[in-house]
Amino acid sequence: MWRFTAFEALLGPEDYNPDVTLPVHSSGAGRNAVARNARRSSRSRPAALKGRRGCERRAEGAMWGRLCGSGRILLLAGAARHCGRPHRTQKLFSTSSVLSATEDEPTAPTDSTTKVASKEGAAETPKQKLLKMIGDMKVEVTTKRKFQQLKEQEIKKQATNKQEGLHGGSSTFQNSAEDVQRSKPLNPELVQAASAVASSFPHNKEQAESELLAQLRRHEETTDKQRRGGTINICNVISEMTVKRQSPAQRGVRISNRISLEMDEDGQRIKPGRPSSHSDSGRSLKAGKRLNIFTKASPETENALKTVSSPTIWDLEFAKEIAAVTEQPPRNGFEEMIQWTKEGILWEFPIDNEAGMDDGAEFHEHIFLEKHLKDFPKQGPIRHFMELVICGLSKNPYLSVKQKIEHIEWFRNYFEEKKEFLQEI
Amino acid sequence: MAASALCWALRVARQVLPCPSQTRSYYVDWRMLRDVKRRKLAYEYADERLRINAIRKNTILPKELQEVADREIAALPRDSCPVRIRNRCVLTSRPRGVKRRWRLSRIVFRHFADHAQMSGIQRAMW
């Protein structure tokens, strides 16, 4: 970095003793000159060090500040400023100014050159011409409707041709028409474009042009064929083809098998050997005919397994233990949320307002509770009371049907116990 | 009695899952323990109390029945009434200055809020 080398040069020789090399003849004139030079340099400095050089100034200040501790450097600075090496500092600053000027200059001329180039080149190079031509050309977009229209047109054409054929002698006309179309000259614009592209080739321009024109002709033929043939041919072709599916697992295996990042002890990369055998075996394991070498497990044992009694407490504990041992801490936030949802800490989304409450009962079971009042007396204050209770329960959305029935049951039991007492009253 | 209560407290507190975060294996103090007992009993007897009170606070049923109900409800354990529950601070068991939403006393709340450990809490300034 030229900036710092300047200061390194300034502070370079640490063994420089300013006291010794103070010039003996530091006359007043010399001093003034030095001062003037210093002032000039200081004045020129801000002119040179603007904008981008602010960091340099800051660096300079930082460097001065950092080394302020050592008095020697201060003295050095002082000496440099006043008498020591004014010319060198001036030179350094002048170089900096020169360098800065030179840096600014290249950027300005390059801008101007690019502008000039852009203005000049457009008209001249054939490449630009070609690009312009291609940009001007319109792209014919065939939508579905258009395609159907084309189909209808060609069907009509075929019908008319068939009619003509019946009369006879039109087939030759058709063939001649095709020949005429084939020999129809290509679009002049395309020809021009082809010539421009060929001219931009480094060598064999004529050959390139002829090849391009041949390609164009072939392209035109194919498009004409397609337009006449319609979609029928394509359908026939595609129906015979089958799609080879590659499972993402296979794909991943193949990709990972290509590059191995394992390192040997020496630091050499372990290249994979021939993994084709493994992949072949992997594919052949699942596919292919069964050899029926191994007999299936007999159905008796299967039935025996199924008829095992419900798992005991010890089995449950064992299963819990296994789960607790094998579970890993969640790798990311998603797994953490899954764990919480399983524990019941986090609700299930989308939020179901009747999450823990739905007992599968219909609304009429909640509202029409008079059928539970069969055991109660039909007259009297108790009946009145119970009817009020039922009215309240029917309006309660927080209790399940079971809880409501339990409520009524409790009252029934209570009044049964108090029957004798009530009869005394 | 104290030993049995302590055992009961330990049994209650030991149902702590092995999690790496801060765990409290004991209740903060005895008052908190008693509050916990009251809450449990209140939960158990809540339905019965509701039904007996429905009989009591009545103008339809005969008064004798209501007096019997009065006696019955008075015979229930004293800790079963919900009025005896005190919303203490969950961390310090402070009975006063507890914000209901966070179940924390004002001092603990302030401590956590200043350390930015309360979600959605910010120092008010207006």
Side-chain angles (χ1 to χ4, degrees):
Chain A
M1 290 278 282
W2 60 268
R3 286 186 218 131
F4 294 105
T5 49
F7 294 105
E8 277 169 28
L10 252 183
L11 307 162
E14 297 265 323
D15 53 331
Y16 166 72
N17 207 337
D19 301 318
V20 170
T21 58
L22 267 174
V24 179
H25 55 275
S26 52
S27 54
R31 277 250 179 83
N32 289 339
V34 163
R36 252 186 283 125
N37 286 338
R39 253 182 272 126
R40 210 194 304 160
S41 64
S42 63
R43 247 186 281 130
S44 71
R45 240 177 76 210
L49 313 168
K50 55 179 167 178
R52 280 199 256 160
R53 310 282 164 249
C55 57
E56 184 207 311
R57 215 192 290 159
R58 260 181 268 128
E60 181 200 331
M63 290 186 78
W64 289 137
R66 248 181 277 139
L67 306 165
C68 234
S70 58
R72 198 205 283 168
I73 307 302
L74 244 185
L75 277 167
L76 165 65
R81 192 77 61 78
H82 296 297
C83 28
R85 296 180 278 181
H87 56 283
R88 213 197 276 193
T89 53
Q90 202 186 7
K91 255 191 206 162
L92 287 161
F93 286 128
S94 63
T95 51
S96 72
S97 65
V98 162
L99 277 157
S100 65
T102 48
E103 259 207 42
D104 289 327
E105 274 167 48
T107 52
T110 46
D111 289 333
S112 60
T113 47
T114 48
K115 277 182 205 163
V116 167
S118 60
K119 276 181 205 163
E120 287 175 329
E124 287 186 359
T125 53
K127 221 187 198 177
Q128 300 289 336
K129 255 205 286 182
L130 170 65
L131 287 169
K132 226 171 83 180
M133 239 191 297
I134 290 168
D136 289 337
M137 285 201 288
K138 276 192 224 166
V139 177
E140 194 186 80
V141 177
T142 50
T143 57
K144 201 177 179 184
R145 220 185 292 162
K146 229 183 172 181
F147 216 68
Q148 278 180 355
Q149 282 174 1
L150 279 169
K151 245 174 94 178
E152 284 166 358
Q153 278 177 11
E154 48 138 47
I155 285 165
K156 277 185 206 165
K157 258 196 229 169
Q158 280 183 1
T160 48
N161 286 341
K162 272 188 189 164
Q163 279 182 356
E164 282 174 23
L166 282 171
H167 294 308
S170 67
S171 57
T172 48
F173 274 124
Q174 226 184 3
N175 289 337
S176 62
E178 280 178 17
D179 289 335
V180 162
Q181 278 188 338
R182 214 169 275 155
S183 59
K184 179 181 80 175
L186 296 169
N187 209 345
E189 285 182 7
L190 287 172
V191 170
Q192 248 190 337
S195 63
V197 165
S199 63
S200 71
F201 275 27
H203 45 264
N204 280 351
K205 288 184 188 172
E206 291 170 359
Q207 199 186 8
E209 198 174 330
S210 62
E211 277 177 9
L212 279 167
L213 288 168
Q215 272 274 338
L216 275 170
R217 258 187 233 112
R218 259 179 273 153
H219 182 72
E220 287 280 344
E221 276 180 25
T222 51
T223 47
D224 284 342
K225 260 192 214 165
Q226 274 179 359
R227 278 198 199 144
R228 267 178 268 140
T231 52
I232 305 159
N233 301 332
I234 297 168
C235 285
N236 289 341
V237 168
I238 287 170
S239 61
E240 289 166 26
M241 297 204 298
T242 54
V243 179
K244 183 187 172 192
R245 282 252 175 107
Q246 198 187 42
S247 69
Q250 272 185 332
R251 217 175 339 141
V253 162
R254 274 193 204 157
I255 289 164
S256 60
N257 281 348
R258 271 184 224 143
I259 304 166
S260 78
L261 296 165
E262 297 169 24
M263 292 287 189
D264 216 350
E265 297 135 15
D266 306 331
Q268 306 285 332
R269 253 214 341 227
I270 297 170
K271 284 185 186 170
R274 277 273 119 190
S276 60
S277 61
H278 169 72
S279 61
D280 287 342
S281 67
R283 255 180 269 147
S284 65
L285 273 173
K286 305 283 169 84
K289 270 198 282 182
R290 289 186 78 94
L291 296 170
N292 290 324
I293 295 169
F294 301 104
T295 55
K296 256 194 187 176
S298 58
E300 292 169 356
T301 49
E302 278 180 10
N303 289 336
L305 283 166
K306 278 172 195 168
T307 54
V308 163
S309 60
S310 64
T312 60
I313 298 165
W314 305 114
D315 292 338
L316 288 167
E317 278 297 315
F318 187 56
K320 274 188 208 169
E321 217 182 288
I322 288 168
V325 163
T326 52
E327 76 185 1
Q328 298 288 329
R331 290 177 296 177
N332 50 34
F334 290 117
E335 293 198 0
E336 201 183 28
M337 284 207 276
I338 290 166
Q339 210 178 4
W340 285 345
T341 310
K342 280 182 194 163
E343 284 172 33
I345 295 167
L346 197 62
W347 286 346
E348 287 181 57
F349 295 95
I351 288 179
D352 179 24
N353 278 325
E354 296 158 10
M357 279 172 29
D358 183 37
D359 51 354
E362 300 289 315
F363 72 98
H364 54 87
E365 289 170 48
H366 276 91
I367 290 165
F368 303 115
L369 299 161
E370 274 181 339
K371 58 190 172 189
H372 304 294
L373 286 188
K374 282 178 197 170
D375 297 336
F376 285 91
K378 300 201 180 170
Q379 298 283 328
I382 293 175
R383 183 75 187 198
H384 189 35
F385 173 74
M386 287 314 295
E387 274 172 10
L388 286 171
V389 165
I390 276 163
C391 180
L393 283 175
S394 68
K395 292 180 190 175
N396 191 334
Y398 303 109
L399 297 177
S400 65
V401 176
K402 273 188 190 172
Q403 284 170 324
K404 290 180 186 176
I405 295 168
E406 270 176 33
H407 201 82
I408 297 166
E409 285 270 337
W410 186 91
F411 275 111
R412 195 182 301 136
N413 293 334
Y414 184 82
F415 288 125
E416 286 285 327
E417 286 170 22
K418 304 289 185 251
K419 220 177 192 179
E420 298 154 6
F421 182 76
L422 288 166
Q423 278 165 0
E424 281 172 33
I425 301 164
Chain B
M1 213 270 293
S4 66
L6 181 62
C7 287
W8 185 80
L10 283 170
R11 237 186 299 125
V12 161
R14 204 168 283 150
Q15 291 155 25
V16 156
L17 297 162
C19 49
S21 60
Q22 254 189 10
T23 48
R24 282 175 168 68
S25 21
Y26 304 99
Y27 286 112
V28 178
D29 55 5
W30 291 95
R31 281 169 288 174
M32 195 191 236
L33 212 172
R34 279 179 279 162
D35 197 56
V36 168
K37 274 197 275 181
R38 280 178 205 129
R39 281 167 195 268
K40 285 207 174 122
L41 277 180
Y43 181 80
E44 280 174 30
Y45 286 93
D47 293 336
E48 242 183 271
R49 286 191 93 95
L50 172 76
R51 286 155 191 168
I52 294 169
N53 270 328
I55 291 169
R56 279 172 69 222
K57 313 286 179 181
N58 225 329
T59 48
I60 302 160
L61 295 173
K63 281 183 190 174
E64 293 82 3
L65 196 60
Q66 284 173 4
E67 283 162 21
V68 167
D70 285 339
R71 269 175 266 151
E72 266 191 28
I73 203 167
L76 288 176
R78 202 165 268 193
D79 276 349
S80 63
C81 61
V83 193
R84 287 170 71 91
I85 291 167
R86 180 81 197 183
N87 290 327
R88 288 178 164 272
C89 170
V90 162
L91 294 178
T92 52
S93 178
R94 197 162 194 274
R96 295 196 175 97
V98 181
K99 287 309 275 179
R100 208 170 214 199
R101 184 172 169 181
W102 299 278
R103 302 177 187 176
L104 292 175
S105 85
R106 56 178 177 84
I107 302 156
V108 178
F109 175 82
R110 217 178 100 98
H111 176 269
F112 283 133
D114 287 342
H115 287 75
Q117 285 162 7
M118 298 293 278
S119 172
I121 300 296
Q122 195 192 20
R123 279 204 154 253
M125 187 165 41
W126 74 97

